[in-house]
Amino acid sequence: SHWPIACSLADLAQPEEKLAGLKINPVMYTKSNQIFYKSIEIVDLAGSKNNKVNVRVPKNPRLGQPTWTLDSKNIVFTHWAEKGVELWTADTTSGRSRRLIGPKLTNILASYYYRTPNPRKLIVRLRNDGKLPARPKVPQEPVMQETTGQKAAVRTYQNLLKTPADSDLFAHLATSQLAFVNVDNGRLEKIGKPGLYGGIDLSPDGKWLIVIRYRRPFSFTVHYGRFAKDIELWNLRTGAVQTIVSQPIGDKIPIMGVRTGRRFVHWHGGKPARMIWTEAQDGGDPEKSVPHREILYAWDAPFKGEPKECCRLVHRIYGIDYLEGRDDCLVYEHDWKKRWIKVYLRDFMSGSEKIVFDYSRNDVYNNPGSPVTTRTADGESLVRVDNGDTIYLSGKGATPKGERPFLRSM
């Protein structure tokens, strides 16, 4: 893909609303100030000399990052048309392209589209079709904020909501409709009803969907990421919706702290439908002294019984990497005061664990690198494992004499 030298004046002159910590283009229903590609080439790295395919892009192209379908037969990409963002697909052999969805996509709260285990289907985010609410020329009521008298350290954020009219405009622009789209014929199949949906996560078996749904009332002191929200589990076969956790406005989260209750809710990449989450044991406050800051839980479909406690972490969770073809995984803990990272190899089901890495986050010379991953047939990214017990690490390899990129096994 080829980038333009700079944004055009026409792009920079687009209207903009600053709401809930975001800069939003109210005409396109997207985030503002995006950079576009002008052309796309597909290169067969194992082919002959004539191994380039030029994708036939729309006129006056303003293209988003292209993405492969899981079977590699097509790529999909967005196009900023005059009246909105479209979804296009192109054949990777011939370069022929066609429009799948007209100017109806939005990415205000999360991505325009997502891949699914079915290589011929995507999940897309369609924008609100309703009329844009007009701002009152004269304030209709005084702007009031209520305090509970509790102490809370709050960071300073830009572009926050200021009035009820701001709240109404944000709710309209951020509302979206989730839907499946068929890559072959562009047929749409709506999922649920329109709502204020944030990020979504489809289970590896394609039968369950984790959905973040924001809800009113909105806050005038924090950005949208700390608004009240529900994390829901949608059964795509029956349409049933189950609330995993309901979180209040996060305006009392301590500095360097986290929300209480279930968070970091996601799917185990190596299982058909195993939900993983963590719960803070220190009230989300890193200044509190407790023996364990986190407990990790697992819950398997059909999500009827009690969740299983997997392990307890001394420090705050920093991430999880799931291993190809194995039940254990790499769990990262972070001690923010010491800027220290520990990486454990843990088996969630048996409870076994051992330390793999123990290093300072600031010590780039001794950074062990990142695990090399592979993509499964259903699109999940897992740490590559060879011969049942060998993984690979790659990194920049910082040294006093400069960077020496490396790839090593362990």
Side-chain angles (χ1 to χ4, degrees), residues 11 18 26 37 116 152 168 183 233 237 239 265 325 329 338 349 353 375 387:
D11 291 332
K18 298 178 180 180
Y37 296 102
T116 75
D168 292 340
V183 177
L233 176 64
R237 295 165 298 175
V265 182
C329 56
K338 296 181 179 179
M349 296 299 107
E353 68 176 45
R375 187 74 66 179
N387 302 319

Side-chain angles (χ1 to χ4, degrees), residues 276 295-299 308-312 346-351:
I276 304 291
I295 298 180
L296 275 169
Y297 292 91
W299 204 15
K308 174 182 173 59
E309 179 180 322
C310 299
C311 61
R312 297 184 174 225
R346 297 181 185 268
D347 188 322
F348 283 171
M349 296 299 107
S350 70

Side-chain angles (χ1 to χ4, degrees), residues 339-343 356-370 393-400 402 404 406 408 410:
R339 307 296 192 269
W340 205 268
I341 294 175
K342 288 186 178 181
V343 184
V356 180
F357 300 116
D358 188 357
Y359 62 98
S360 169
R361 196 182 73 183
N362 297 330
D363 186 0
V364 294
Y365 291 169
N366 291 308
N367 189 305
S370 301
L393 301 167
S394 66
K396 294 180 178 180
T399 72
R404 302 291 188 270
F406 66 87
R408 65 185 181 91
M410 65 168 288

Side-chain angles (χ1 to χ4, degrees), residues 122-126 177-181 188-191:
L122 304 171
I123 294 180
V124 295
R125 189 181 300 269
L126 306 176
Q177 169 71 60
L178 301 175
F180 287 110
V181 62
L188 285 171
E189 177 188 349
K190 292 183 178 180
I191 309 171

Side-chain angles (χ1 to χ4, degrees), residues 168-301:
D168 292 340
L169 183 57
F170 172 75
H172 172 85
L173 290 169
T175 293
S176 62
Q177 169 71 60
L178 301 175
F180 287 110
V181 62
N182 189 302
V183 177
D184 295 320
N185 54 32
R187 184 178 295 115
L188 285 171
E189 177 188 349
K190 292 183 178 180
I191 309 171
K193 297 179 180 180
L196 287 164
Y197 301 129
I200 65 172
D201 189 8
L202 184 64
S203 63
D205 65 6
K207 298 177 181 178
W208 306 85
L209 190 66
I210 296 172
V211 178
I212 295 176
R213 183 200 298 263
Y214 294 98
R215 65 178 192 271
R216 286 181 143 178
F218 304 138
S219 172
F220 289 2
T221 60
V222 293
H223 59 77
Y224 81 96
R226 294 196 171 190
F227 286 177
K229 61 185 177 182
D230 296 330
I231 301 179
E232 300 175 341
L233 176 64
W234 292 12
N235 186 327
L236 296 180
R237 295 165 298 175
T238 67
V241 175
Q242 182 177 352
T243 299
I244 302 302
V245 62
S246 186
Q247 298 176 341
I249 294 174
D251 56 358
K252 299 180 181 64
I253 299 175
I255 300 297
M256 300 303 296
V258 297
R259 289 182 184 264
T260 57
R262 296 175 178 179
R263 68 179 216 288
F264 188 38
V265 182
H266 64 283
W267 298 109
H268 187 305
K271 302 297 179 182
R274 175 175 293 171
M275 190 186 304
I276 304 291
W277 70 81
T278 185
E279 296 183 24
Q281 303 301 297
D282 55 6
D285 187 351
E287 295 291 348
K288 287 186 177 180
S289 179
V290 293
H292 297 94
R293 294 203 179 275
E294 306 273 17
I295 298 180
L296 275 169
Y297 292 91
W299 204 15
D300 289 322

